[in-house]
Amino acid sequence: QQATREIDGTAQAMFLETCNAVRTNFLTVFQTLFGGGECDLRLSIEGDPLESEIEIHAAPRGKRTQRIHLLSSGERTLVAVSLLFSIYLTKPSPFCLMDEVDAPLDDSNVGRFTRLLDEFKHSSQFLVITHNKLTMETANHLYGVTMMEPGCSSIVSVSFHDVEMTQSDQELGGAIARKRREVDDTAMAARDQAFHECAGDAAAAQR
């Protein structure tokens, strides 16, 4: 029982320390994304933090404080992103994967999201799966899957470090076209090699 009490005491102290740090960061990131407003993380049972639920309260600028489930889908997404980056600031990670995070956001909120990524991309690498053109425009590298022929998919990649050096949309189009030709040539060579290997195996089997 003594060991259990010591473990619970240590866990409770560590939890409260981390929770307070995330709470402080949450307010900062939230106000950065929403351009103001109020937010808070609260324990439903303050006397027993290890068994307590964590309640998220948020009030975008011009709105009353309310629980997250009462917000719009775009607002809930930005609150979730705020909390994610608040945890990141507490314990930074070198790599972060985001899958369609910007899907519920309108153009103005996508701009806020991408500006937040710009602030953190110097210390972490972000891999963002998206169909939003505004998010794609802020990327350093863009990877896409295209199907030139039915049943034959290929990956096309573009480095926007090269794009920044181009002088016109025509040059940009040429750079993308050259990259696609390189991908197509590689895929064609691999397909021809596989065909010749299969033909060779069939001929050897007949002999």
Side-chain angles (χ1 to χ4, degrees), residues 1 25-26 28 33 44 49 65 68 84 106-107 110 128 149 156 168 181 184:
Q1 292 181 352
N25 294 332
F26 184 41
T28 301
L33 276 178
S44 59
T65 302
I68 187 173
L84 173 65
D106 57 20
D107 289 350
V110 169
V128 182
E149 302 176 4
V156 177
S168 67
R181 284 196 296 270
D184 292 343

Side-chain angles (χ1 to χ4, degrees), residues 126-153:
F126 291 93
L127 178 61
V128 182
I129 301 173
T130 181
H131 290 91
N132 191 293
K133 294 181 180 179
L134 296 178
T135 303
M136 295 180 191
E137 289 176 359
T138 64
N140 293 330
H141 303 276
L142 187 64
Y143 299 88
V145 179
T146 182
M147 186 176 291
M148 298 289 190
E149 302 176 4
C152 182
S153 298

Side-chain angles (χ1 to χ4, degrees), residues 36-99:
E38 299 178 356
C39 65
D40 196 11
L41 296 178
R42 304 173 186 170
L43 298 177
S44 59
I45 307 175
E46 294 186 0
D48 190 4
L50 297 181
E51 298 295 332
S52 174
E53 295 181 353
I54 299 177
E55 298 178 351
I56 303 174
H57 295 259
R61 187 172 56 181
K63 294 187 177 182
R64 297 170 55 187
T65 302
Q66 52 190 334
R67 294 190 177 183
I68 187 173
H69 68 275
L70 298 176
L71 301 175
S72 67
S73 60
E75 290 172 335
R76 287 199 302 270
T77 300
L78 287 182
V79 172
V81 171
S82 300
L83 185 58
L84 173 65
F85 279 95
S86 302
I87 297 172
Y88 164 85
L89 287 172
T90 304
K91 189 173 183 180
S93 170
F95 182 84
C96 184
L97 172 64
M98 295 184 172
D99 187 2

